[in-house]
Amino acid sequence: MPIEIERKFLVVGDAWREKVSRSERMMQGYLAGPPAARCSVRVRIGGAAAFLNIKSATPGVQRDEYEYAIPTEDAQRLLRTLAGDVVEKVRHYVEVDGHTFEIDEFAGDNAGLIVAELELDRVDEPFPRPGWLGREVSELVRYYNLHLAAHPYSRWSDEERNADDAH
């Protein structure tokens, strides 16, 4: 069974920008998800590729994840006709000591939010912590893309942006 082990962090400052190896625009929308289901079903277009993704709806660092390539035309139609709110972002890839950080710079209603994600092979795997890696938000559901689609960052209160709980 495919398992995703991913840590999420807020990004501090712009020092990471000089290390970007490549970037791609992404647009994604959700076809199904909590609270009615125990998983989210997402369609994503990134660059010239498109994917259907199914991810367990359990918060935390480790979750079940399945991803399948689909024709871009199908993904565009799904986003237009079946997806709810769409999340737009530019994903930047930054290599640090053999690890690839995926830095999502959100646009639209989520503009101003920049999150670094790091996929690992083990939950306890050590990883580099560059100076631009801020507060860990892996356990905070409000930073998950599914949540950002329905509750965009631009509508968060200062209390929501700074809270450490899982709400």
Side-chain angles (χ1 to χ4, degrees), residues 142-143 151-163:
R142 68 181 170 274
Y143 288 97
H151 304 286
Y153 186 71
S154 63
R155 297 185 199 143
W156 292 11
S157 66
D158 286 339
E159 183 177 294
E160 285 175 295
R161 292 180 186 209
N162 298 316

Side-chain angles (χ1 to χ4, degrees), residues 96-108:
V96 179
D97 298 334
H99 289 81
T100 302
F101 286 88
E102 296 175 347
I103 300 180
D104 289 342
E105 187 171 13
F106 290 87

Side-chain angles (χ1 to χ4, degrees), residues 49-135:
F51 299 91
L52 189 63
N53 173 282
I54 303 163
K55 190 181 289 192
S56 62
T58 51
V61 174
Q62 181 173 316
R63 298 187 280 169
D64 295 344
E65 180 181 43
Y66 303 87
E67 188 164 80
Y68 307 97
I70 62 172
T72 303
E73 299 80 29
D74 290 357
Q76 290 168 338
R77 182 169 171 82
L78 287 167
L79 285 171
R80 259 192 336 271
T81 62
L82 298 179
D85 296 315
V86 173
V87 173
E88 299 174 71
K89 59 189 175 183
V90 176
R91 175 164 285 173
H92 306 281
Y93 297 87
V94 176
E95 298 286 330
V96 179
D97 298 334
H99 289 81
T100 302
F101 286 88
E102 296 175 347
I103 300 180
D104 289 342
E105 187 171 13
F106 290 87
D109 284 342
N110 289 298
L113 178 62
I114 303 176
V115 176
E117 299 178 349
L118 178 64
E119 291 199 14
L120 302 168
D121 293 325
R122 299 184 333 268
V123 172
D124 62 349
E125 179 180 341
F127 58 91
R129 295 182 184 260
W132 45 262
L133 200 62
R135 177 171 70 118

